[in-house]
Amino acid sequence: MYIAEATESGDKMSIAEFHDIGKIVNWFALGLQRRRADGWFDEAEPHDFEKCKDPTWSVNFNAPVWESIYRKDEEICPAHFPDSSNWFIVSLADGLAASMRRLPEEEVGGQSIYGRHCLWTGKTEPDLRLKQTEELKELISYLNGNPAWEATDRRYSRILHTRAECAVPGLNVATLHSHSALTGKLFRVLQPVAWDAARKQRPWGAAFKAVEHERIVLLSLKVEFSQQPFRTRDLAIFGARRQAIAEAVSRFGDNVLIQYANSIVGFFLSDTAADDLVESFQKHGFTVSLVKAQQHTLGDLNSIGVDDALSKGRSSALYPALPDVIEPPLCENCQMAHGQHRWPADFLASRGDLSPAARTRISSISWAAVRSQDFDESDRTRLAEWLEEWAEERLCLRCFDLRRTAPPLIRLARWDTGKVAWARISLDLPELEAALRQLHIAYIKAQASRISDDLLSRKLPVRLPLLADFIDDYKRMINLWRERLADSFGQENVEEIDEGLVCVKLTEAPGAIRLLEIYRDLLAAHFPKLLELEAAPVRFALSISPAKHPFFVNWRFLESSQASVAVQLIGSGKAEIPINHLDALVRVIRQGGRHSFHRLRSIARTSKALAEIMLDDRRERDQTMEELRSISPLGMDFESLMTLANLAET
Amino acid sequence: MPEPQKTFLRYHLRAETLCLGERIRGGVFRPCSPVFRYTTLTGSLTSAFSASSPVHAVARFLPGNSDSNRLETLTFAPHDRSRFISVIPLQIEYFANADAELFILKTDESARYPRRLQFSMGAMRSKGFGRCEIEFEKEVTCGNPTRGRLCVRLPDTQDVKTVFGVRNVLTARYGYLFSPTNASSGTYVKSLFEGSTIFAYPIILHPRDKSE
C-alpha cells in the first residue's frame, strides 16, 4: 500500500477521488472544447463536466460523486447539496494534493500535453482519453450509480495511469491516478476541521480563511530496530516490523500518504495523532527516526511544499523507554535490555512435547551442564538438535518472544556450506527529491515554450503525486527483482527477508556478478534516467559471506552503505561503484585480469603513483588494462578493483 | 557567557593489530567495533598510566592511505587446555595497522603523563592483539561545541558529557557500554553511539563534518 488502500471499504467516503474524473475525457475530440485556427484552445478544458449540465446528458446531480465534480459550480452544489461542505473540502484536498506548492501554470506554457511524461524513463505516455460520445455517456451513467473508487480505478486504470494530472507542458509529470488517490486521503483527513467552515461560509475564499490557520503536522519516519540478528531465527524481526507497519497503515490509513519499505510520509491535524502513529511502533520495541516539519498551517502549504517543509524539519530518533543502567546479563540480541531469559533452556522448559522430568531438569541447571544421557530415549531424540547446536544465550523478553515465535526461514536454515549473497535495494527519500528536481527542471527546459525568468533560479518543488508515482514504479521493480532472482538462481536458492532484502545461495561462479547484472538491467529498464545522474536515490548493496556467517555483519554493511552500488566480500574487502559506470566495471571484471589487479593493488599499497604509472605502461599491451585506465579515475581505487575481481570468481 | 575552554592532549596512536571486540556472542565470528569506545580507552589508559583517577580519553581513526585501518579477519583455533582438545575455530575481525589520534583531557595529573607509552588495549590481548604505542603531539584547546556526527561511543552520563562538551543531542543513537564497578563486576550504562547528531567538541565528531 503506498497511495490508496486497495480495499473495497463501503464505509469509507470516496467521493473526492472523482473530482478530476472528467480529465479522462478528450473534450476537444467530442466537439465540446473549442480550438482556434492557430491550434490553441479557445476555452479551458471543461473537465468539470460544465458542458454536460443539459438534461440530454442525463447527469443525476443527486448522486454524491457529482458534488465532488461540480464543486466549483455555484448553482448545482447549493441546489443539490445544500447542507454539505464536501465541495469545499474536496477543493481544499485537491489543492493540497496537486499543489503542495504547485508551480503556477502561468510560469510555463505551450500546447497541452495530456500524456504523462515519466521523468525517470524519459518517456511520454500516449493520450488514451475517451474520444467517443458513447464512452462519455457510459461514464456519466456509471458515475450516476455512485461507484466505489477502487472499482473505478480498475475500470479506467489504463487512462488514469497515462493521463497527466496537469497538461501544462513541463508540468505533465504526475499521473491522474496518484493525484486522485491522494486527494481522497486528504479529503478524509481534513473533514473534521473543514466541515463547519464551509457550512457557515461561502464562497471559497471566505471558507478558506476560516481554516487556513488550522495546524497541520507533516512527518517522515523510518521504523528501525536495535536487534543485531546473528541467528536465522532472529531475522523474524523483519517480519515483526512489516507487521507493525501494516497495522499502523491500516489504523492510520488516510494519514499515511506514502509508504514504502520501512518509511512513511504522514499528514496529521494534530501532534497527538502524529504521536499515536510513532508510539504504535515504539510500543512494539522499534526505534523511529523521525523528521517532523516545523509548525505549519493549512495556509502555509500554498507557499511551501512537502519536500521543503520536511527538509527544514527537525530530526530525532525516538527509542522505547531505555533505563540509564542495566544490570548484567545484557540481552545478547538487542543489547538494549536486561537478558532475563535463557535460550534455549527457557524455551525448551515450556515445550509440551517433553516430559515433565526433562523440563524440570532443563530449567533447574545451567545449559552447559545439560547432557543427553540425563534424558530418556524419547526426550533425547527431541532434544538432539538443541544439544548439538545451541550454546546458552541470554535474551530480553521481547527478543525471547521473537525467537520463540519466529516462523522458520526454511531455505536459509538449510544452507550450511558454501557462500550466500545478501542483497538489498533501498530508496533514499531526500536523494530522490533531489534527483526528481533535477530531472524535472531538465524536462521543463526541453518542453515548455514559455518559461518565466525566475522559475529556473528557484528550487523546484517535488510534489507528492510525483513521489507516489515513483514509489509505485520502485515497488514494481522490487517485485520483478524477486522474480528475476528466482528465475536465474532457482526459487529454492532465494530467501526473501524483507521488502528489497534477499539472501541468495551462490551455487556456481560467477553468481555474484549475475546479481549485479540483474540489478543493472532492472535499473536500466525502469529508471534509465537515474543512470545519468550523480545522485543515487535507489541504492544497491551486496554482501557476500559464508553461509553461516553472522547475518548482522552483512546487515551492518547493507544498512549503512550510502553508495549507489556497494559491494562487500567478507574476507576480501569492499568496493563502491558509481552507478553511471556500473556497466563498464562489470565488463572489465568479467574479462578477468585478477593477477594484474592483485599486482597493482600491492604496488598501490606502497605507492599509488607507481601503480598509476604501471597501469599506463601496460595499457597498450593489455586490453583489460586499457579499459581499467578508462574507469580508474571514476572513484575506483585498486583495493576496490581487487574486491570486484574476487567477486567475479564468487 | 562564553563556554569554558578545555584542553586535551593529542597523542598519535598506532597498533599493528587492534581488536575492539563488539559485544556479540553465540557465534564463531567475533566482529570488531568500527569506532573507539570511551570505556575501553579509559580502562586501558587508567591502568597504563597507573592514574589515581579515571583518564578521560577518546580516539578516532585517521583517514590515511589504503594500508592503514584495514578491517581484516583472522581465523584462530583456541585450545581447551583442560580437555586437551581444539575447539571450533574462531574468526576474529580486527584493524590492521591502526592509525588514530587519541585525546586525553588535560589535568594536573595527565599533564605529567609520559610523552611516549606502550600499552595493550581491546580484545585478544593474550594473543598479541592490541599492543598500542602512543606519542604526544600537541595540546588541543576546545571552546564552543559544534554540530556534527559522533564518531566514538560515549556514556550518556553528565560527567562524561561535560568533559567532551556534549550539549544538545539532536538525534541520538543509543546503545549500552559496560562499565566496571569493581574488578569482577559491572553494569551496562546507556551510551551515545557513533552516528548520533550532537553539539560537542570537534574531537569526538566525524572529521569530515567540521574541520577543527
Side-chain angles (χ1 to χ4, degrees), chain B residues 166-182:
Chain B
V166 179
R167 297 289 182 273
N168 297 354
V169 177
L170 303 173
T171 310
R173 277 197 66 234
Y174 288 116
Y176 284 83
L177 293 177
F178 185 73
S179 172
T181 45
N182 58 46

Side-chain angles (χ1 to χ4, degrees), chain A residues 30 39 47 51 53-54 60 85 148-149 165 239 245 340 363 380 403 471 541 585 596 605 611 633:
Chain A
L30 292 169
H47 60 245
K51 300 278 178 83
K53 289 196 272 186
D54 188 276
N60 173 11
S85 296
W149 172 250
E165 164 235 350
I245 292 172
Q340 71 262 47
S363 58
R380 203 178 300 153
R403 195 179 275 185
I471 288 163
L585 271 164
S596 306
R605 281 186 177 177

